[in-house]
Amino acid sequence: QVHLTETGGDSVQPGGSLNLTCAHGGNPWARYCMAWFRQAQGKDPEGVAGIASDGITTYAPSVKGRFTISRDKGKNSLYLRMNNLKPEDTAKYYCVANYPGPCLPTGQITRGLGYWGQGTQVTVSS
């Protein structure tokens, strides 16, 4: 069983920055891909950034160059640094482990697959 807890969500103005943290019980990335997904109100979830067990990172085109995914194995933590935030980044952000398929899926995402945290809300508005 994998327990994931996200923190760091907040309300910020456009152009602002946030750091999200995912704490997990155990060491899932010894085998798992870890990723950040997000779901805006009324929309389907989408992949934002993923980091494979070998450290290779992948980003959605909409966040590439603005967001950075990283991990600290010693602290059992996954991070998402978000810079130059835009209103369209507003969503609930989820830490996800072992979602089947590519480390960062580009197609339809199913909530019942993989391990999900409870999410943390990010709101970008002026």
Side-chain angles (χ1 to χ4, degrees):
Q1 188 68 25
V2 176
H3 298 283
L4 305 169
T5 304
E6 305 93 335
T7 56
D10 205 345
S11 295
V12 296
Q13 293 186 343
S17 297
L18 283 175
N19 291 308
L20 304 185
T21 298
C22 171
H24 64 87
N27 187 19
W29 47 58
R31 295 176 290 146
Y32 299 158
C33 167
M34 299 290 296
W36 290 97
F37 294 177
R38 67 185 180 188
Q39 186 169 19
Q41 192 169 6
K43 294 187 177 180
D44 293 330
E46 61 175 349
V48 174
I51 185 164
S53 57
D54 60 3
I56 293 177
T57 58
T58 311
Y59 296 92
S62 60
V63 306
K64 196 169 186 178
R66 300 189 296 123
F67 291 10
T68 302
I69 188 171
S70 61
R71 63 191 182 189
D72 186 329
K73 291 184 177 181
K75 295 182 179 179
N76 287 343
S77 294
L78 179 74
Y79 306 103
L80 186 67
R81 170 68 177 178
M82 304 187 293
N83 293 326
N84 190 22
L85 282 160
K86 304 176 180 181
E88 51 264 42
D89 294 318
T90 295
K92 197 163 191 178
Y93 284 70
Y94 296 90
C95 174
V96 181
N98 200 33
Y99 191 87
C103 191
L104 186 67
T106 56
Q108 184 176 3
I109 290 174
T110 303
R111 285 293 303 269
L113 301 178
Y115 302 101
W116 293 61
Q118 293 301 307
T120 186
Q121 179 66 36
V122 172
T123 302
V124 185
S125 68
S126 54

